[in-house]
Amino acid sequence: MNLISYCMNVHPGEDIASIRRAISDIAIPLRTAFEHGDEMPLGLRLSAHAAQELRVPEALRSFNAFLQANRLKVMGINGFPYGAFHGETVKEKVYSPDWSTVERQTYTHDLFYAATRLPMAYLGENRFSVSTVPLGYDREQGITDDYLENICDFALFLRKLEGFTGRRLCLALEPEPDCLLDSCQSVIDFFERLWLHPNWNSAYRDLVGICFDTCHFAVGYEDPLCSLRHLVSSRIPIARIQVSAALEYTPYATAEDLMPFVDAIYLHQTTRRENDASVTCYPDLTTTILPDLIGSRGRIHYHVPLVWQGNSHIGSTRNALTPAFWRYVRAGGWPLEIETYTYNILPNTVCRRTLSEMLFEDMCWVRNQLRQV
């Protein structure tokens, strides 16, 4: 069965001490609950600050020993948010710095440096991946040559790092609404341009791929199975699948139903499905746009628990994860990561359970979907 973990971006804290506390408080009890024998895969999240901490050899050795002592092996690293991801306004800042900058390259260098020195989970034919921003925010600006050159340069770095360490690695761009990579077609168009760039080498082919988040594709009304198949048939590497569900509203939803999901921390790109099946996009869920949504149906980039079924007013896109989707994912053998970073800010109407309980239930749900196909 596919490796299953959860993404540790759900935990606040930007330093290694905070990460160790989260592992002790949540990940280790989960390992015990699932009765893992030799190891439990971990979806690590490292901020730029934490990644710099691990540049110090003694700190890296200590963290490595901590993971090994607790029978934890890293399945992948979330290198998307550069700085703070909890407790303050994030919004569009989560995409900065982007892949046109040196800062993003340096941060991601540090992540791969740490990755090659930490205990890695056995991924079979899959490569160890670090997920990252979908190049940058705001698709209106277009993909300039800076992005292409920097990705080519980074692929060369990974090629050399593989030679030095023997580890099989992949940079995993994560498409997200309103970004330079925000749909199946935008991903294909980008890779076709990348592969034709003068600085690209065919030896880099498996070093740059996609972190496929099911919530993000669902917001734009793309069927997860069709999109995944299309990417695979286009020979774009799928490094990791993040299993997540977006918030969905129906024509029966009221302003009172949606208001609890308006928050000042995260960006919640919103779509409204028109009668002709076209989609109207809004950059964020705000009180200003609520009147435009009432009486319509649509989807919101707000990650909700996989086990939450909702009601006739609001629900989730988890039904888009069909048995056919799970069969395809199981056959592909890709590592799976539950990615619901909003657990700690969910309205009481969605969930009243503890973080540990929600993570356990969602992981059980994913395991059951795979077993049933």
Side-chain angles (χ1 to χ4, degrees):
M1 187 181 290
N2 312 63
L3 282 183
I4 303 171
S5 186
Y6 77 95
C7 184
M8 291 189 66
N9 64 353
V10 68
H11 301 299
E14 311 308 315
D15 57 14
I16 295 300
S18 299
I19 294 169
R20 291 178 67 138
R21 283 195 297 272
I23 290 173
S24 297
D25 293 344
I26 304 294
I28 293 174
L30 277 175
R31 184 207 66 208
T32 303
F34 284 110
E35 297 181 349
H36 284 274
D38 296 331
E39 63 185 51
M40 174 179 168
L42 201 62
L44 197 60
R45 185 253 159 167
L46 297 174
S47 68
H49 177 77
Q52 288 169 4
E53 280 189 82
L54 294 181
R55 295 289 299 186
V56 179
E58 183 52 42
L60 185 58
R61 282 194 294 269
S62 175
F63 189 56
N64 193 328
F66 170 73
L67 294 178
Q68 290 181 328
N70 289 287
R71 305 198 309 279
L72 299 169
K73 291 193 175 182
V74 183
M75 185 183 80
I77 295 178
N78 184 319
F80 198 124
Y82 181 89
F85 195 56
H86 292 273
E88 61 180 67
T89 300
V90 177
K91 298 291 184 181
E92 296 93 337
K93 291 190 298 183
V94 74
Y95 307 108
S96 297
D98 64 23
W99 271 99
S100 67
T101 67
V102 173
E103 290 81 3
R104 175 60 63 172
Q105 293 183 74
T106 301
Y107 166 44
T108 316
H109 278 141
D110 288 345
L111 294 174
F112 276 104
Y113 169 84
T116 57
R117 289 157 178 81
L118 293 175
M120 287 187 181
Y122 175 69
L123 296 170
E125 295 300 313
N126 299 289
R127 291 170 171 266
F128 182 94
S129 65
V130 171
S131 59
T132 188
V133 294
L135 299 181
Y137 179 65
D138 185 7
R139 58 188 171 188
E140 298 296 329
Q141 65 177 308
I143 299 173
T144 63
D145 208 50
D146 289 343
Y147 291 103
L148 295 166
E149 289 181 359
N150 288 344
I151 295 296
C152 288
D153 289 346
F154 202 85
L156 174 59
F157 160 76
L158 288 182
R159 183 69 173 170
K160 292 178 178 177
L161 190 61
E162 280 197 340
F164 289 134
T165 64
R167 303 289 183 99
R168 300 171 68 248
L169 307 169
C170 182
L171 175 69
L173 300 161
E174 185 182 330
E176 191 164 301
D178 288 345
C179 293
L180 293 175
L181 302 180
D182 67 346
S183 65
C184 182
Q185 193 57 53
S186 67
V187 170
I188 292 171
D189 291 344
F190 164 72
F191 274 90
E192 289 180 346
R193 282 185 64 189
L194 179 68
W195 295 336
L196 292 174
H197 194 275
N199 295 348
W200 183 260
N201 188 307
S202 59
Y204 305 162
R205 193 64 180 247
D206 295 325
L207 298 171
V208 181
I210 289 297
C211 174
F212 188 95
D213 189 306
T214 58
C215 164
H216 298 167
F217 283 89
V219 170
Y221 279 88
E222 293 197 37
D223 178 75
L225 175 58
C226 291
S227 295
L228 187 56
R229 279 179 166 164
H230 199 181
L231 293 174
V232 171
S233 67
S234 300
R235 297 181 60 210
I236 296 170
I238 306 298
R240 190 191 321 163
I241 294 180
Q242 289 185 329
V243 184
S244 57
L247 180 66
E248 190 167 48
Y249 61 93
T250 73
Y252 304 105
T254 66
E256 289 72 25
D257 291 321
L258 296 177
M259 190 62 200
F261 298 94
V262 177
D263 78 76
I265 300 176
Y266 302 113
L267 195 65
H268 299 297
Q269 296 94 327
T270 300
T271 57
R272 185 183 69 197
R273 185 82 157 179
E274 308 297 351
N275 292 333
D276 62 358
S278 64
V279 176
T280 299
C281 303
Y282 301 86
D284 196 10
L285 179 65
T286 64
T287 54
T288 305
I289 72 165
L290 288 183
D292 293 346
L293 309 183
I294 304 310
S296 303
R297 66 177 64 251
R299 294 173 175 178
I300 300 168
H301 177 210
Y302 193 117
H303 294 238
V304 292
L306 294 164
V307 295
W308 181 61
Q309 299 184 49
N311 53 47
S312 61
H313 291 198
I314 54 173
S316 86
T317 60
R318 77 168 194 171
N319 290 334
L321 306 179
T322 61
F325 169 82
W326 291 111
R327 280 193 294 272
Y328 191 70
V329 167
R330 182 165 183 168
W334 296 292
L336 305 179
E337 186 176 58
I338 294 167
E339 211 261 356
T340 310
Y341 57 83
T342 53
Y343 280 131
N344 294 314
I345 63 167
L346 287 170
N348 287 337
T349 52
V350 174
C351 194
R352 297 175 183 271
R353 297 182 295 283
T354 66
L355 175 59
S356 294
E357 290 170 334
M358 290 186 287
L359 285 170
F360 180 78
E361 290 175 4
D362 273 359
M363 291 179 76
C364 286
W365 186 84
V366 170
R367 291 159 74 96
N368 288 337
Q369 304 312 303
L370 288 171
R371 286 195 183 104
Q372 291 171 11
V373 296

